[in-house]
């Protein structure tokens, strides 16, 4: 283990030690179980030497009772140890997972550029699981095993040095078997799990992409992929079976070799009268108590590398400094005036996406951002939401630099309707209530009626109580956006940002969405990212963005008359040319 691995483990152990009480129970029961484990062979030797062989049967009952007691104690301590190790491990796991999850929730958006959802899920679920298995259950179990090994050796040494030495001769063999075959068995297990994951991803892909598969007639191809993954899984499991079949019998043989040696040598010594029969019997029992602990210690060593890698991935997330800064003053209300003052912005260093934007949006006005795809419209909206701060220049809200205002309070006053609506698990009602937990069901219905969304929600199988998952499949992009509009309305914000999705909406829904948008915009500073330029007839001002710069701005009619950039975009869209 190198220095950095050692510091990782020390840090983890320091953090894990917070549950001292549970840990104390685990340690006490581990010691108790190890002692009880040692006591039974010793009692057996006493029973044979002092009572059975001399024919003193009077006290044999007491020894038998004591023997039984050690077995009960072993059972009791094992139960305690197993249960409290789990309690301790689950406690550590829960804390680690919540810290990771909190980190994800508090991270800023740059954080998510480097880490995909799958990667984060794997760190929060799998890596913490590995850490728990190896570094908590594994280490505690390994500690118990080491204690048992040392205890057995000490007990043997107390009884007889010569027999101890011959008993230990098979230990290297056991270590070798545990290391070689045990290692192969664990690798085969891991491979089998990877193959199963492959099958599930084939199924997932074929369900998610069923339409594309059908459209391209690729059913056969997917089927072949599936049966190949199945075949490989079977192969992997058969390999596991082979190694399992080899491993334990080999461990038993190695351990029985000691027993044979003890019987032969111990028998000879007993015959000479230098050890008692009872001691030989005790050694036969001790000789068989090596294989479990040796296997556990070796397998722990084996899995330590993967646990360290998992721990490293966990700490990498926990130590990430890309967190959202929620400091700044709280605003209860926004006047609705927004100004971009020489704003430059880059997602990646050296690649500016906004280049010196100067833009003033007066309170209560309606502005449309238009431009080709990739021009920077969404980025402007992202900066207003303070998902990011400008690389240079500032965004001002009623004359105050956004950096001085708390992000949370700012976002409370801005309604954002993104192009794609995310529906959380739960009902449609829950999904709208998210915007304002203080609102009631009646408020939701009122807002939906106001926006003209109520009738279409009522047409869903269970109306407002329809589950989002089911609704998600039934709803079109535009219909989902209507739910998003209702959400925004319920929040009753001072500023509204709409990324309209009308380009992918049928004419009937388009009408509904457009009317709902106009309703929502009433009396609020509104910024529309317009893909369908028809909507610009409802705004006061159009801002044409091109390659991160504002190239034209003014009232829509004036711009159309001027026959400049906006006019060209407008007419090219009317003539059916692709804009997005
Ligand atoms: N998270 C990001 N990381 C890096 N680059 C990004 C990121 N988001 C957007 N960009 C880049 O910034 C530029 C502007 O993107 P933006 O989404 O603001 O354009 P847009 O005008 O809204 O386009 P669209 O109409 O397609 O939504 C594009 O070149 C895009 O590739």
């Amino acid at each position: 283990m190198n220095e950095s691995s050692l510091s990782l483990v020390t840090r983890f152990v320091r953090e894990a030690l917070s549950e001292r009480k549970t840990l104390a129970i685990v340690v006490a029961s581990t010691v108790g179980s190890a002692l009880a484990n040692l006591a039974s062979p010793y009692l057996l030797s006493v029973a044979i030497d002092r009572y059975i062989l001399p024919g003193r049967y009077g006290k044999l009952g007491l020894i038998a009772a004591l023997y039984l007691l050690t077995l009960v104690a072993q059972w009791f301590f094992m139960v305690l140890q197993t249960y409290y190790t789990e309690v301790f491990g689950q406690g550590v796991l829960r804390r680690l997972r919540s810290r990771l999850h909190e980190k994800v929730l508090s991270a800023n958006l740059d954080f998510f550029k480097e880490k995909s959802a799958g990667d984060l899920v794997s760190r929060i679920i799998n890596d913490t699981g590995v850490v728990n298995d190896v570094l908590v259950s594994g280490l505690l179990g390994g500690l118990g095993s080491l204690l048992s090994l040392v205890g057995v050796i000490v007990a043997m040494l107390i009884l007889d040095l010569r027999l101890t030495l011959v008993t230990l001769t098979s230990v290297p063999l056991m270590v070798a078997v545990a290391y070689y075959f045990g290692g192969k068995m664990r690798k085969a297990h891991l491979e089998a799990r990877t193959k199963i994951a492959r099958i599930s991803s084939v199924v997932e892909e074929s369900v998610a992409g069923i339409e594309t598969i059908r459209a391209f007639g690729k059913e056969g191809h997917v089927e072949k992929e599936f049966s190949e993954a199945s075949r490989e899984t079977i192969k992997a499991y058969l390999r596991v079976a082979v190694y399992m079949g080899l491993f334990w019998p080999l461990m038993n043989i190695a351990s029985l070799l000691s027993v044979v040696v003890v019987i032969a040598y111990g028998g000879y010594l007993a015959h000479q009268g230098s050890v008692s029969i009872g001691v030989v019997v005790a050694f036969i029992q001790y000789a068989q108590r090596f294989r479990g602990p040796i296997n556990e210690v070796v397998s722990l060593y084996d899995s330590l590398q993967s646990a360290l890698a998992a721990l490293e991935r966990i700490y990498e997330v926990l130590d990430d400094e890309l967190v959202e800064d929620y400091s700044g003053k709280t605003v209860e209300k926004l006047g609705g005036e927004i100004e971009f003052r020489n704003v430059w912005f880059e997602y990646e260093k050296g690649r500016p996406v906004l280049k010196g934007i100067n833009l003033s949006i007066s309170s209560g006005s309606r502005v449309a951002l238009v431009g080709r795809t990739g021009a920077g419209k969404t980025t402007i909206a992202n900066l207003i939401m303070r998902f990011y701060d400008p690389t240079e220049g500032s965004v001002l809200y009623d004359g105050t630099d956004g950096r001085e205002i708390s992000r949370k309070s700012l976002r409370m006053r801005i309604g954002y309707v993104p192009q794609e609506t995310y529906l959380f698990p739960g009902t449609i009602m829950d999904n709208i209530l998210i915007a304002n937990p203080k609102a009631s069901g009646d408020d939701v219905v009122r807002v939906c009626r106001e926006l003209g969304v109520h009738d279409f929600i009522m047409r869903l199988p269970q109306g407002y109580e329809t589950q989002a998952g089911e609704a998600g499949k039934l709803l079109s992009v535009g219909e989902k956006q209507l739910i998003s509009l209702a959400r925004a309305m319920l929040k009753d914000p001072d500023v509204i940002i709409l990324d309209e999705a009308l380009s992918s909406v049928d004419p009937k829904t388009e009408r509904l969405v457009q009317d709902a948008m106009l309703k929502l915009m009433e009396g609020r500073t509104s910024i529309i990212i317009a893909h369908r330029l028809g909507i610009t007839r409802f705004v006061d001002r159009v801002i044409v963005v091109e390659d991160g710069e504002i190239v034209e701005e003014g009232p829509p009619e004036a711009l159309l008359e001027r026959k400049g950039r906006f006019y060209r975009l407008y007419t090219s869209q009317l003539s059916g040319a692709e804009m997005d």
Side-chain angles (χ1 to χ4, degrees):
M1 201 188 288
N2 59 30
E3 203 185 330
S4 73
S5 316
L6 196 66
S7 69
L8 270 181
V9 175
T10 346
R11 175 174 171 190
F12 174 72
V13 170
R14 220 179 313 122
E15 286 172 7
L17 282 181
S18 55
E19 296 256 350
R20 279 166 214 276
K21 235 186 351 207
T22 325
L23 191 64
I25 301 178
V26 175
V27 172
S29 53
T30 307
V31 173
S33 144
L35 286 178
N37 190 31
L38 289 179
S40 42
Y42 176 76
L43 282 175
L44 201 59
S45 82
V46 172
I48 293 172
D49 289 343
R50 298 214 197 139
Y51 303 101
I52 298 175
L53 291 179
R56 289 157 58 197
Y57 295 112
K59 285 211 178 146
L60 206 56
L62 180 70
I63 294 285
L66 272 178
Y67 191 88
L68 198 67
L69 195 68
T70 59
L71 294 184
V72 173
Q74 253 181 64
W75 166 80
F76 172 73
F77 285 127
M78 279 294 281
V79 171
L80 219 59
Q81 186 190 355
T82 312
Y83 180 71
Y84 279 97
T85 303
E86 198 58 36
V87 171
F88 183 74
Q90 289 299 331
V92 171
L93 200 61
R94 181 177 58 82
R95 273 197 309 277
L96 214 50
R97 282 186 179 153
S98 346
R99 277 171 64 202
L100 282 166
H101 192 231
E102 273 164 28
K103 186 75 186 197
V104 170
L105 286 184
S106 65
N108 68 23
L109 293 182
D110 285 331
F111 171 92
F112 298 97
K113 259 198 289 188
E114 293 155 20
K115 297 179 184 70
S116 65
D119 176 38
L120 286 168
V121 168
S122 154
R123 289 181 202 230
I124 299 178
I125 308 295
N126 306 343
D127 287 341
T128 50
V130 171
V131 164
N132 179 39
D133 287 347
V134 179
L135 293 179
V136 179
S137 308
L139 267 188
L140 287 174
L143 213 68
S145 301
L146 263 183
L147 210 67
S148 299
L149 282 177
V150 172
V152 168
I153 294 172
V154 169
M156 290 196 311
L157 282 173
I158 292 173
L159 288 176
D160 193 274
L161 175 66
R162 292 161 302 176
L163 275 179
T164 308
L165 292 178
V166 298
T167 312
L168 291 182
T169 50
S170 70
V171 167
L173 186 62
M174 270 189 260
V175 173
V177 172
Y179 188 73
Y180 185 73
F181 286 99
K184 290 232 178 247
M185 184 177 74
R186 282 182 286 276
K187 261 201 208 95
H189 251 304
L190 196 71
E191 204 187 317
R193 277 209 300 271
T194 321
K195 299 288 177 206
I196 277 281
R198 170 86 198 109
I199 293 195
S200 64
S201 82
V202 171
V203 175
E204 227 174 276
E205 282 159 20
S206 30
V207 173
I210 189 73
E211 279 134 5
T212 317
I213 292 170
R214 295 255 161 93
F216 287 91
K218 286 285 173 199
E219 290 92 339
H221 176 80
V222 177
E223 212 172 295
K224 208 167 119 211
E225 214 176 332
F226 182 84
S227 59
E228 208 160 284
S230 299
R231 230 187 347 263
E232 287 194 4
T233 310
I234 293 175
K235 265 201 241 162
Y237 272 105
L238 289 182
R239 212 167 303 135
V240 171
V242 169
Y243 285 118
M244 283 267 263
L246 279 173
F247 177 66
W248 280 112
L250 276 176
M251 275 303 261
N252 283 342
I253 290 173
S255 129
L256 285 176
L257 274 181
S258 308
V259 176
V260 172
V261 175
V262 169
I263 291 175
Y265 187 54
Y268 168 71
L269 291 180
H271 178 66
Q272 279 194 330
S274 58
V275 291
S276 64
I277 297 285
V279 168
V280 177
V281 172
F283 266 87
I284 292 174
Q285 291 221 330
Y286 282 137
Q288 296 179 67
R289 285 175 197 219
F290 278 105
R291 70 197 146 177
I294 283 182
N295 176 44
E296 240 178 83
V297 172
V298 172
S299 74
L300 181 65
Y301 172 79
D302 216 28
S303 39
L304 210 57
Q305 282 311 321
S306 63
L308 284 175
L311 200 59
E312 205 171 328
R313 278 194 294 271
I314 290 171
Y315 282 138
E316 193 185 273
V317 172
L318 287 180
D319 293 344
D320 202 304
E321 280 165 8
L322 297 172
V323 282
E324 280 257 282
D325 176 8
Y326 286 128
S327 61
K329 67 175 179 208
T330 307
V331 284
E332 297 296 332
K333 208 161 169 46
L334 289 177
E337 206 182 290
I338 296 171
E339 187 189 344
F340 275 59
R341 207 177 273 172
N342 188 31
V343 169
W344 286 74
F345 179 75
E346 49 195 45
Y347 290 104
E348 283 153 27
K349 234 179 164 25
R351 289 187 54 199
V353 169
L354 296 184
K355 303 167 185 165
I357 298 277
N358 283 297
L359 172 66
S360 183
I361 301 169
S362 57
S363 174
S365 67
R366 298 169 171 192
V367 166
L369 296 172
V370 305
R372 292 180 192 287
T373 179
K377 304 173 303 280
T378 309
T379 307
I380 293 179
N382 284 344
L383 292 189
I384 298 177
M385 290 295 288
R386 276 201 78 200
F387 289 147
Y388 301 95
D389 279 335
T391 317
E392 219 185 292
S394 24
V395 180
L396 299 108
Y397 302 79
D398 310 319
T400 309
D401 190 333
R403 293 184 185 89
E404 292 168 23
I405 306 172
S406 124
R407 283 185 156 85
K408 241 188 193 136
S409 75
L410 195 65
R411 289 177 194 157
M412 293 292 275
R413 304 308 315 146
I414 305 177
Y416 183 38
V417 181
Q419 207 176 123
E420 271 184 40
T421 305
Y422 181 75
L423 295 178
F424 291 94
T427 61
I428 293 298
M429 176 62 92
D430 298 335
N431 262 284
I432 300 175
L433 274 174
I434 267 175
N436 183 357
K438 282 190 212 129
S440 66
D442 288 344
D443 293 330
V444 172
V445 175
R446 177 181 49 77
V447 159
C448 288
R449 277 187 198 281
E450 222 174 301
L451 289 184
V453 183
H454 176 76
D455 290 343
F456 117 80
I457 292 182
M458 290 312 284
R459 279 199 297 274
L460 289 170
Q462 278 98 38
Y464 286 90
E465 294 310 313
T466 308
Q467 288 295 322
E470 188 188 356
K473 282 187 221 127
L474 298 174
L475 300 178
S476 68
V477 177
E479 287 166 337
K480 278 191 212 155
Q481 199 167 47
L482 283 171
I483 291 176
S484 191
L485 285 163
R487 252 185 204 164
M489 186 77 157
L490 195 68
K491 187 170 168 182
D492 191 17
D494 307 316
V495 174
I496 187 95
I497 301 173
L498 300 163
D499 197 344
E500 57 91 352
L502 293 176
S503 34
S504 41
V505 164
D506 61 275
K508 207 169 133 229
T509 323
E510 176 177 348
R511 190 60 210 248
L512 261 178
V513 174
Q514 188 173 301
D515 289 350
M517 280 183 171
L518 294 177
K519 194 100 200 155
L520 184 61
M521 282 153 60
E522 264 169 33
R524 297 182 171 97
T525 307
S526 312
I527 298 131
I528 309 179
I529 300 173
H531 298 270
R532 279 269 177 117
L533 298 183
I535 193 132
T536 54
R537 67 177 183 274
F538 300 105
V539 303
D540 309 313
R541 197 149 58 108
V542 169
I543 316 278
V544 185
V545 187
E546 213 174 273
D547 194 20
E549 287 174 279
I550 295 177
V551 290
E552 196 173 68
E553 63 178 300
E557 312 80 36
L559 293 189
L560 285 176
E561 259 170 48
R562 198 193 291 171
K563 299 212 156 102
R565 298 278 213 312
F566 178 60
Y567 175 81
R568 284 203 292 279
L569 281 173
Y570 200 92
T571 45
S572 72
Q573 194 170 75
L574 277 188
S575 66
E578 265 291 84
M579 187 193 142
D580 287 305

